[in-house]
Amino acid sequence: PWHAVLDRVRQLTRQYAITIDRLDIGSFDAPLTLIGRTSEQSTVLSFRNALLSDPLFFNVALPFSHVVRLEDGSTGFSIMFQVKLSS
């Protein structure tokens, strides 16, 4: 199951030109945390919306305080989400 999850995350991050700095995975029951960066703040919101509309993910959380402008001018962020288990 993790293979499908990681493939989908990779597809979405490539689609939105997001660099993953870290992906914390505990278990299917716990939220995943993706720490990444991209060139535009609006891209972070588009990525969040893509996760929200994807049937594989739920409980997507992007606290405003977790979106920051980095020294190089890019936008850093941390987003949490959970994986829907098939029943």
Side-chain angles (χ1 to χ4, degrees):
W2 282 116
H3 182 65
V5 171
L6 295 175
D7 280 349
R8 187 63 185 138
V9 169
R10 185 178 59 225
Q11 289 171 356
L12 289 172
T13 55
R14 284 182 179 169
Q15 178 180 344
Y16 290 96
I18 290 170
T19 300
I20 299 173
D21 292 323
R22 191 163 111 193
L23 182 61
D24 291 333
I25 301 172
S27 71
F28 275 117
D29 296 335
L32 284 72
T33 300
L34 186 149
I35 298 170
R37 55 193 149 88
T38 189
S39 60
E40 299 292 329
Q41 186 174 4
S42 61
T43 304
V44 178
L45 299 176
S46 296
F47 178 65
R48 181 205 62 179
N49 291 340
L51 289 172
L52 285 169
S53 65
D54 194 299
L56 186 59
F57 306 113
F58 72 107
N59 284 348
V60 178
L62 176 67
F64 182 71
S65 62
H66 292 195
V67 179
V68 297
R69 178 66 71 192
L70 302 174
E71 287 182 17
D72 66 359
S74 65
T75 300
F77 67 97
S78 174
I79 190 167
M80 286 81 49
F81 52 93
Q82 287 184 264
V83 176
K84 289 184 183 172
L85 298 173
S86 53
S87 46

Coordinates of all heavy atoms in Angstrom, one line a residue:
P1 N 0.8 -1.2 0.0 CA 0.0 0.0 0.0 C 0.8 1.3 0.0 O 0.5 2.3 -0.6 CB -0.8 -0.1 1.3 CG -0.8 -1.5 1.7 CD 0.4 -2.1 1.1
W2 N 2.0 1.3 0.7 CA 2.8 2.5 0.8 C 3.3 2.9 -0.6 O 3.5 4.0 -0.9 CB 4.0 2.3 1.7 CG 3.6 2.4 3.2 CD1 3.7 1.5 4.1 CD2 3.1 3.6 3.8 NE1 3.2 2.0 5.3 CE2 2.9 3.3 5.1 CE3 2.8 4.9 3.4 CZ2 2.4 4.2 6.1 CZ3 2.3 5.8 4.3 CH2 2.1 5.5 5.6
H3 N 3.6 1.9 -1.4 CA 4.1 2.1 -2.8 C 3.1 3.0 -3.6 O 3.5 4.0 -4.2 CB 4.3 0.8 -3.5 CG 4.9 1.0 -4.9 ND1 6.1 1.5 -5.1 CD2 4.4 0.7 -6.1 CE1 6.4 1.6 -6.4 NE2 5.3 1.1 -7.1
A4 N 1.8 2.7 -3.5 CA 0.8 3.5 -4.2 C 0.7 4.9 -3.6 O 0.6 5.9 -4.4 CB -0.5 2.8 -4.1
V5 N 0.9 5.0 -2.3 CA 0.8 6.4 -1.7 C 2.0 7.2 -2.1 O 1.9 8.4 -2.5 CB 0.8 6.2 -0.1 CG1 0.9 7.5 0.6 CG2 -0.5 5.5 0.3
L6 N 3.2 6.6 -2.0 CA 4.4 7.4 -2.4 C 4.4 7.7 -3.8 O 4.8 8.9 -4.2 CB 5.6 6.6 -2.0 CG 5.8 6.3 -0.5 CD1 7.0 5.4 -0.3 CD2 6.0 7.6 0.2
D7 N 3.9 6.9 -4.7 CA 3.8 7.2 -6.1 C 2.9 8.4 -6.4 O 3.2 9.3 -7.1 CB 3.3 6.0 -6.9 CG 4.4 5.0 -7.2 OD1 5.6 5.3 -7.0 OD2 4.0 3.9 -7.7
R8 N 1.7 8.4 -5.6 CA 0.8 9.5 -5.8 C 1.4 10.8 -5.3 O 1.2 11.9 -5.9 CB -0.5 9.2 -5.1 CG -1.6 10.2 -5.4 CD -1.9 10.2 -6.9 NE -2.9 11.3 -7.2 CZ -2.8 12.1 -8.2 NH1 -1.9 11.9 -9.1 NH2 -3.7 13.0 -8.4
V9 N 2.0 10.8 -4.2 CA 2.7 12.0 -3.6 C 3.7 12.5 -4.6 O 3.8 13.7 -4.9 CB 3.3 11.7 -2.2 CG1 4.2 12.9 -1.8 CG2 2.2 11.5 -1.2
R10 N 4.5 11.6 -5.2 CA 5.5 12.0 -6.1 C 4.9 12.6 -7.4 O 5.4 13.6 -7.9 CB 6.4 10.8 -6.5 CG 7.6 11.2 -7.4 CD 8.5 10.0 -7.8 NE 7.7 9.0 -8.4 CZ 7.8 7.7 -8.2 NH1 8.6 7.2 -7.2 NH2 7.1 6.8 -8.8
Q11 N 3.8 12.0 -7.9 CA 3.1 12.6 -9.0 C 2.7 14.0 -8.8 O 2.8 14.9 -9.6 CB 1.9 11.7 -9.4 CG 2.3 10.4 -10.0 CD 1.0 9.5 -10.2 OE1 -0.1 9.9 -9.7 NE2 1.2 8.3 -10.8
L12 N 2.0 14.2 -7.6 CA 1.5 15.5 -7.3 C 2.6 16.5 -7.1 O 2.5 17.7 -7.5 CB 0.6 15.5 -6.1 CG -0.7 14.8 -6.3 CD1 -1.5 14.6 -5.0 CD2 -1.6 15.6 -7.3
T13 N 3.7 16.1 -6.4 CA 4.8 17.1 -6.2 C 5.5 17.5 -7.5 O 5.8 18.6 -7.7 CB 5.8 16.6 -5.1 OG1 6.3 15.3 -5.5 CG2 5.2 16.5 -3.8
R14 N 5.6 16.5 -8.4 CA 6.2 16.8 -9.7 C 5.2 17.8 -10.5 O 5.7 18.7 -11.1 CB 6.4 15.6 -10.5 CG 7.6 14.8 -10.0 CD 7.9 13.6 -10.9 NE 9.1 12.9 -10.4 CZ 9.4 11.7 -10.8 NH1 8.7 11.1 -11.7 NH2 10.5 11.1 -10.4
Q15 N 3.9 17.5 -10.5 CA 3.0 18.3 -11.2 C 3.0 19.7 -10.7 O 2.8 20.6 -11.5 CB 1.5 17.7 -11.0 CG 0.4 18.5 -11.6 CD -0.9 17.9 -11.4 OE1 -1.0 16.7 -11.0 NE2 -2.0 18.6 -11.6
Y16 N 3.2 20.0 -9.4 CA 3.2 21.3 -8.9 C 4.6 21.9 -8.7 O 4.8 22.9 -8.0 CB 2.4 21.4 -7.6 CG 0.9 21.2 -7.9 CD1 0.3 19.9 -7.9 CD2 0.1 22.2 -8.4 CE1 -1.0 19.7 -8.2 CE2 -1.2 22.1 -8.7 CZ -1.8 20.8 -8.6 OH -3.1 20.7 -8.9
A17 N 5.6 21.2 -9.2 CA 7.0 21.7 -9.1 C 7.4 21.9 -7.6 O 8.0 23.0 -7.3 CB 7.2 22.9 -9.9
I18 N 7.1 20.9 -6.8 CA 7.4 21.0 -5.4 C 8.6 20.1 -5.1 O 8.7 19.0 -5.5 CB 6.2 20.6 -4.5 CG1 5.1 21.7 -4.6 CG2 6.6 20.4 -3.1 CD1 3.8 21.3 -4.0
T19 N 9.6 20.7 -4.3 CA 10.7 19.9 -3.9 C 10.4 19.4 -2.5 O 10.0 20.2 -1.6 CB 12.0 20.7 -3.8 OG1 12.3 21.2 -5.1 CG2 13.2 19.9 -3.3
I20 N 10.5 18.1 -2.3 CA 10.2 17.5 -0.9 C 11.6 17.5 -0.2 O 12.6 17.0 -0.6 CB 9.7 16.0 -1.0 CG1 8.4 15.9 -1.8 CG2 9.6 15.4 0.4 CD1 8.0 14.5 -2.1
D21 N 11.5 18.2 1.0 CA 12.7 18.3 1.8 C 12.6 17.1 2.9 O 13.6 16.6 3.2 CB 12.8 19.6 2.6 CG 13.1 20.7 1.6 OD1 13.9 20.5 0.7 OD2 12.6 21.8 1.8
R22 N 11.4 16.8 3.2 CA 11.2 15.7 4.2 C 9.8 15.2 4.1 O 8.9 15.9 3.9 CB 11.5 16.2 5.6 CG 11.6 15.1 6.6 CD 12.3 15.6 7.9 NE 11.3 15.6 8.9 CZ 11.5 16.3 10.1 NH1 12.6 17.0 10.3 NH2 10.6 16.3 11.0
L23 N 9.6 13.9 4.3 CA 8.3 13.2 4.3 C 8.3 12.3 5.5 O 9.0 11.3 5.5 CB 8.0 12.5 3.0 CG 6.6 11.8 3.0 CD1 5.5 12.8 3.1 CD2 6.5 11.0 1.7
D24 N 7.6 12.7 6.6 CA 7.5 11.9 7.8 C 6.3 10.9 7.7 O 5.2 11.4 7.5 CB 7.4 12.7 9.0 CG 8.6 13.5 9.3 OD1 9.7 13.1 8.9 OD2 8.5 14.6 9.9
I25 N 6.6 9.6 7.8 CA 5.5 8.6 7.7 C 5.6 7.8 8.9 O 6.7 7.1 9.2 CB 5.7 7.7 6.5 CG1 5.7 8.6 5.2 CG2 4.7 6.6 6.4 CD1 6.1 7.8 3.9
G26 N 4.6 7.7 9.7 CA 4.5 6.9 10.9 C 3.8 5.6 10.6 O 4.4 4.5 10.6
S27 N 2.5 5.7 10.4 CA 1.7 4.6 10.1 C 0.5 5.1 9.3 O 0.3 6.3 9.1 CB 1.2 3.9 11.4 OG 0.3 4.7 12.0
F28 N -0.3 4.1 8.8 CA -1.5 4.5 8.0 C -2.5 5.3 8.9 O -3.3 6.0 8.5 CB -2.2 3.3 7.4 CG -1.6 3.0 6.1 CD1 -1.0 1.7 5.9 CD2 -1.7 3.8 5.0 CE1 -0.5 1.4 4.7 CE2 -1.2 3.5 3.8 CZ -0.5 2.3 3.6
D29 N -2.5 5.0 10.2 CA -3.4 5.6 11.2 C -3.0 7.1 11.5 O -3.9 7.8 12.0 CB -3.5 4.8 12.4 CG -4.1 3.4 12.2 OD1 -4.8 3.2 11.2 OD2 -3.8 2.5 13.0
A30 N -1.8 7.4 11.3 CA -1.3 8.7 11.7 C -1.1 9.6 10.5 O -0.9 9.1 9.4 CB 0.0 8.6 12.4
P31 N -1.2 10.9 10.7 CA -1.0 11.8 9.5 C 0.4 11.8 9.0 O 1.3 11.6 9.8 CB -1.3 13.2 10.1 CG -2.1 13.0 11.3 CD -1.6 11.7 11.9
L32 N 0.6 11.9 7.7 CA 1.9 12.1 7.1 C 2.2 13.6 7.1 O 1.3 14.4 7.0 CB 1.9 11.6 5.7 CG 1.9 10.1 5.4 CD1 0.6 9.5 5.7 CD2 2.2 9.9 3.9
T33 N 3.5 13.9 7.3 CA 3.9 15.3 7.2 C 4.9 15.5 6.1 O 5.9 14.8 6.1 CB 4.5 15.8 8.5 OG1 3.6 15.6 9.6 CG2 4.9 17.2 8.5
L34 N 4.5 16.4 5.2 CA 5.4 16.7 4.0 C 6.0 18.1 4.3 O 5.2 19.0 4.4 CB 4.7 16.6 2.7 CG 5.5 16.8 1.5 CD1 4.9 16.0 0.3 CD2 5.6 18.2 1.0
I35 N 7.3 18.2 4.3 CA 7.9 19.5 4.4 C 8.6 19.7 3.0 O 9.3 18.9 2.5 CB 9.0 19.5 5.5 CG1 8.3 19.3 6.8 CG2 9.8 20.8 5.5 CD1 9.2 19.0 8.0
G36 N 8.3 20.8 2.4 CA 8.8 21.1 1.1 C 8.9 22.5 0.7 O 8.7 23.4 1.6
R37 N 9.2 22.8 -0.5 CA 9.4 24.2 -1.0 C 9.0 24.3 -2.5 O 9.1 23.3 -3.2 CB 10.8 24.7 -0.7 CG 11.9 23.9 -1.2 CD 13.2 24.3 -0.6 NE 14.1 23.2 -0.6 CZ 14.9 22.8 -1.6 NH1 15.0 23.5 -2.7 NH2 15.7 21.8 -1.5
T38 N 8.7 25.5 -2.9 CA 8.3 25.7 -4.2 C 8.6 27.2 -4.5 O 8.8 28.0 -3.6 CB 6.9 25.3 -4.5 OG1 6.6 25.3 -5.9 CG2 5.9 26.1 -3.8
S39 N 8.4 27.6 -5.8 CA 8.8 29.0 -6.1 C 7.7 30.0 -5.7 O 8.0 31.1 -5.4 CB 9.0 29.1 -7.6 OG 7.9 28.7 -8.4
E40 N 6.4 29.6 -5.7 CA 5.3 30.5 -5.5 C 4.4 30.1 -4.3 O 4.1 28.9 -4.2 CB 4.5 30.7 -6.7 CG 5.2 31.2 -7.9 CD 5.6 32.7 -7.8 OE1 4.9 33.4 -7.1 OE2 6.7 33.0 -8.3
Q41 N 3.9 31.0 -3.5 CA 3.0 30.7 -2.5 C 1.7 30.1 -3.0 O 1.1 29.2 -2.4 CB 2.7 31.9 -1.6 CG 1.9 31.6 -0.4 CD 1.8 32.8 0.5 OE1 2.2 33.9 0.2 NE2 1.1 32.6 1.6
S42 N 1.3 30.6 -4.2 CA 0.0 30.1 -4.8 C 0.1 28.6 -5.1 O -0.9 27.9 -5.1 CB -0.3 30.9 -6.0 OG 0.7 30.9 -7.0
T43 N 1.3 28.1 -5.4 CA 1.5 26.7 -5.8 C 1.2 25.9 -4.5 O 0.7 24.8 -4.7 CB 3.0 26.5 -6.3 OG1 3.2 27.4 -7.4 CG2 3.2 25.1 -6.7
V44 N 1.6 26.3 -3.4 CA 1.3 25.6 -2.1 C -0.2 25.4 -2.0 O -0.7 24.3 -1.7 CB 1.9 26.3 -0.9 CG1 1.6 25.5 0.4 CG2 3.4 26.5 -1.1
L45 N -1.0 26.4 -2.2 CA -2.4 26.3 -2.1 C -3.0 25.4 -3.2 O -3.9 24.6 -2.9 CB -3.0 27.7 -2.2 CG -2.6 28.7 -1.1 CD1 -3.2 30.1 -1.4 CD2 -3.0 28.2 0.3
S46 N -2.4 25.4 -4.4 CA -2.9 24.5 -5.4 C -2.6 23.1 -5.1 O -3.4 22.2 -5.3 CB -2.2 24.9 -6.8 OG -2.6 26.2 -7.2
F47 N -1.4 22.8 -4.5 CA -1.1 21.5 -4.1 C -2.0 21.0 -3.0 O -2.5 19.9 -3.0 CB 0.4 21.5 -3.6 CG 0.9 20.2 -3.0 CD1 1.0 19.1 -3.9 CD2 1.2 20.1 -1.7 CE1 1.4 17.9 -3.4 CE2 1.7 18.9 -1.2 CZ 1.8 17.8 -2.1
R48 N -2.3 21.9 -2.0 CA -3.3 21.6 -0.9 C -4.6 21.2 -1.5 O -5.2 20.2 -1.2 CB -3.4 22.7 0.0 CG -4.4 22.3 1.2 CD -5.1 23.5 1.8 NE -5.8 24.2 0.8 CZ -6.5 25.3 1.0 NH1 -6.6 25.8 2.2 NH2 -7.2 25.9 0.0
N49 N -5.1 22.0 -2.5 CA -6.4 21.7 -3.1 C -6.3 20.4 -3.9 O -7.3 19.6 -3.9 CB -6.8 22.8 -4.1 CG -7.1 24.1 -3.3 OD1 -7.4 24.1 -2.1 ND2 -7.0 25.2 -3.9
A50 N -5.2 20.0 -4.5 CA -5.1 18.8 -5.2 C -5.2 17.6 -4.2 O -5.8 16.6 -4.5 CB -3.8 18.7 -6.0
L51 N -4.5 17.7 -3.0 CA -4.6 16.7 -2.0 C -6.1 16.6 -1.5 O -6.6 15.5 -1.3 CB -3.7 17.0 -0.8 CG -2.2 16.9 -1.1 CD1 -1.4 17.4 0.1 CD2 -1.8 15.4 -1.4
L52 N -6.7 17.7 -1.3 CA -8.1 17.7 -0.8 C -9.1 17.0 -1.8 O -10.0 16.3 -1.4 CB -8.6 19.2 -0.6 CG -8.1 19.9 0.6 CD1 -8.5 21.4 0.6 CD2 -8.7 19.2 1.9
S53 N -8.8 17.1 -3.1 CA -9.7 16.6 -4.1 C -9.3 15.1 -4.5 O -10.0 14.5 -5.2 CB -9.8 17.4 -5.3 OG -8.5 17.5 -6.0
D54 N -8.2 14.7 -4.0 CA -7.7 13.3 -4.3 C -8.4 12.3 -3.4 O -8.3 12.5 -2.2 CB -6.2 13.2 -4.2 CG -5.6 12.0 -4.8 OD1 -6.0 10.9 -4.4 OD2 -4.8 12.2 -5.7
P55 N -9.0 11.3 -3.9 CA -9.7 10.3 -3.1 C -8.8 9.5 -2.2 O -9.3 8.8 -1.3 CB -10.4 9.4 -4.1 CG -9.7 9.6 -5.4 CD -9.1 11.0 -5.4
L56 N -7.5 9.5 -2.4 CA -6.6 8.8 -1.6 C -6.3 9.4 -0.2 O -5.8 8.8 0.7 CB -5.2 8.5 -2.3 CG -4.2 7.6 -1.7 CD1 -4.7 6.2 -1.5 CD2 -3.0 7.6 -2.6
F57 N -6.5 10.8 -0.1 CA -6.1 11.5 1.0 C -7.3 12.2 1.7 O -8.3 12.5 1.1 CB -5.1 12.6 0.7 CG -3.9 12.0 -0.1 CD1 -3.7 12.4 -1.4 CD2 -3.0 11.2 0.5 CE1 -2.6 11.8 -2.1 CE2 -1.9 10.6 -0.1 CZ -1.7 11.0 -1.5
F58 N -7.2 12.4 3.1 CA -8.2 13.1 3.8 C -7.5 13.8 5.0 O -6.3 13.6 5.2 CB -9.3 12.2 4.3 CG -8.9 11.3 5.4 CD1 -9.4 11.5 6.7 CD2 -8.1 10.1 5.1 CE1 -9.1 10.6 7.7 CE2 -7.8 9.3 6.2 CZ -8.3 9.5 7.4
N59 N -8.3 14.7 5.7 CA -7.7 15.4 6.8 C -6.5 16.2 6.4 O -5.5 16.2 7.1 CB -7.4 14.5 8.0 CG -8.7 14.1 8.8 OD1 -9.8 14.7 8.5 ND2 -8.5 13.2 9.6
V60 N -6.6 16.9 5.3 CA -5.4 17.7 4.8 C -5.4 19.0 5.6 O -6.4 19.7 5.7 CB -5.6 18.0 3.3 CG1 -4.5 18.9 2.8 CG2 -5.7 16.7 2.5
A61 N -4.2 19.3 6.2 CA -4.1 20.5 7.0 C -2.9 21.3 6.6 O -1.8 20.7 6.6 CB -4.0 20.1 8.5
L62 N -3.1 22.5 6.3 CA -2.0 23.4 5.9 C -2.1 24.7 6.7 O -2.7 25.7 6.3 CB -2.0 23.8 4.4 CG -1.0 24.8 3.9 CD1 0.4 24.2 4.0 CD2 -1.3 25.2 2.5
P63 N -1.6 24.7 8.0 CA -1.7 25.9 8.8 C -0.9 27.1 8.1 O 0.2 26.9 7.6 CB -1.0 25.5 10.1 CG -1.0 24.0 10.1 CD -0.9 23.6 8.6
F64 N -1.5 28.2 8.1 CA -0.9 29.4 7.5 C 0.4 29.7 8.1 O 1.4 30.1 7.4 CB -1.8 30.6 7.7 CG -1.3 31.9 7.1 CD1 -1.3 32.0 5.7 CD2 -0.8 32.9 7.9 CE1 -0.8 33.2 5.1 CE2 -0.3 34.1 7.3 CZ -0.3 34.2 5.9
S65 N 0.6 29.4 9.4 CA 1.9 29.6 10.1 C 3.0 28.7 9.6 O 4.2 28.9 9.8 CB 1.7 29.5 11.6 OG 1.3 28.2 11.9
H66 N 2.6 27.6 8.8 CA 3.6 26.7 8.3 C 4.0 27.0 6.8 O 4.6 26.2 6.2 CB 3.0 25.3 8.4 CG 2.9 24.8 9.8 ND1 2.7 23.5 10.1 CD2 2.9 25.4 11.0 CE1 2.6 23.3 11.4 NE2 2.7 24.5 11.9
V67 N 3.6 28.2 6.4 CA 4.0 28.6 5.0 C 4.8 29.9 5.2 O 4.4 30.9 5.8 CB 2.7 29.0 4.2 CG1 3.2 29.5 2.8 CG2 1.8 27.8 4.0
V68 N 6.1 29.8 4.8 CA 7.1 30.8 5.0 C 7.9 31.2 3.8 O 8.1 30.3 2.9 CB 8.0 30.5 6.2 CG1 7.3 30.3 7.5 CG2 8.8 29.2 5.8
R69 N 8.3 32.4 3.7 CA 9.2 32.8 2.6 C 10.6 32.5 3.1 O 11.0 32.9 4.1 CB 9.0 34.3 2.3 CG 9.9 34.9 1.3 CD 9.7 34.4 -0.1 NE 8.5 34.9 -0.7 CZ 7.9 34.4 -1.8 NH1 8.4 33.4 -2.4 NH2 6.8 34.9 -2.2
L70 N 11.3 31.8 2.2 CA 12.7 31.4 2.6 C 13.7 32.4 2.1 O 13.3 33.3 1.3 CB 13.0 30.0 2.0 CG 12.1 28.9 2.4 CD1 12.4 27.6 1.6 CD2 12.2 28.7 3.9
E71 N 14.9 32.4 2.6 CA 15.9 33.4 2.2 C 16.2 33.5 0.7 O 16.5 34.5 0.2 CB 17.2 33.1 3.0 CG 17.2 33.4 4.5 CD 18.5 33.1 5.1 OE1 19.5 33.0 4.4 OE2 18.5 33.0 6.4
D72 N 16.1 32.3 0.1 CA 16.3 32.3 -1.4 C 15.1 32.8 -2.2 O 15.2 32.8 -3.4 CB 16.8 30.9 -1.9 CG 15.7 29.9 -1.7 OD1 14.6 30.2 -1.3 OD2 16.0 28.7 -2.1
G73 N 14.1 33.2 -1.5 CA 12.9 33.7 -2.2 C 11.8 32.7 -2.5 O 10.7 33.0 -2.9
S74 N 12.2 31.4 -2.3 CA 11.2 30.4 -2.5 C 10.2 30.3 -1.3 O 10.4 31.0 -0.3 CB 11.8 29.0 -2.7 OG 12.5 28.6 -1.6
T75 N 9.2 29.5 -1.4 CA 8.2 29.4 -0.3 C 8.4 28.0 0.3 O 8.3 27.0 -0.4 CB 6.8 29.5 -0.9 OG1 6.6 30.8 -1.5 CG2 5.7 29.4 0.2
G76 N 8.6 28.0 1.6 CA 8.7 26.7 2.3 C 7.3 26.4 3.0 O 6.6 27.4 3.4
F77 N 7.0 25.2 3.2 CA 5.7 24.8 3.9 C 5.8 23.5 4.5 O 6.7 22.6 4.2 CB 4.6 24.9 2.9 CG 4.7 23.9 1.8 CD1 3.9 22.7 1.9 CD2 5.5 24.0 0.7 CE1 4.0 21.7 0.9 CE2 5.5 23.1 -0.3 CZ 4.8 21.9 -0.2
S78 N 4.9 23.2 5.4 CA 4.7 21.9 6.0 C 3.2 21.6 5.9 O 2.3 22.5 6.3 CB 5.1 22.0 7.5 OG 4.8 20.8 8.1
I79 N 2.8 20.5 5.4 CA 1.4 20.1 5.2 C 1.2 18.7 5.8 O 2.1 17.8 5.6 CB 1.0 20.2 3.7 CG1 -0.5 20.0 3.6 CG2 1.8 19.2 2.9 CD1 -1.0 20.4 2.2
M80 N 0.1 18.5 6.4 CA -0.2 17.2 7.0 C -1.4 16.6 6.3 O -2.3 17.3 5.9 CB -0.5 17.3 8.5 CG 0.7 17.5 9.4 SD 1.4 19.2 9.5 CE 0.0 20.2 9.9
F81 N -1.4 15.3 6.1 CA -2.6 14.6 5.5 C -2.6 13.1 5.9 O -1.6 12.6 6.3 CB -2.6 14.8 4.0 CG -1.3 14.4 3.3 CD1 -1.2 13.1 2.8 CD2 -0.3 15.3 3.2 CE1 0.0 12.8 2.2 CE2 0.9 14.9 2.6 CZ 1.0 13.7 2.1
Q82 N -3.8 12.5 5.8 CA -3.9 11.1 6.1 C -4.2 10.3 4.9 O -4.8 10.9 3.9 CB -4.9 10.9 7.2 CG -4.4 11.3 8.6 CD -5.4 11.0 9.7 OE1 -6.1 11.8 10.1 NE2 -5.3 9.8 10.2
V83 N -4.0 9.0 4.9 CA -4.3 8.2 3.8 C -5.5 7.4 4.0 O -5.7 6.8 5.1 CB -3.1 7.2 3.6 CG1 -3.4 6.2 2.5 CG2 -1.8 7.9 3.3
K84 N -6.4 7.3 3.0 CA -7.6 6.5 3.2 C -7.3 5.1 2.9 O -6.7 4.7 1.9 CB -8.7 7.0 2.2 CG -9.3 8.3 2.5 CD -10.4 8.7 1.6 CE -10.9 10.1 1.9 NZ -11.9 10.6 0.9
L85 N -7.7 4.3 3.9 CA -7.4 2.8 3.7 C -8.6 2.2 2.9 O -9.8 2.6 3.2 CB -7.3 2.2 5.1 CG -6.2 2.6 6.0 CD1 -6.3 2.0 7.3 CD2 -4.9 2.2 5.3
S86 N -8.3 1.3 2.0 CA -9.4 0.7 1.3 C -10.0 -0.3 2.3 O -9.4 -1.0 3.0 CB -8.9 0.0 0.0 OG -7.8 -0.8 0.3
S87 N -11.4 -0.4 2.2 CA -12.1 -1.3 3.1 C -12.7 -2.5 2.4 O -12.7 -2.6 1.2 CB -13.2 -0.6 3.8 OG -13.9 0.2 3.0

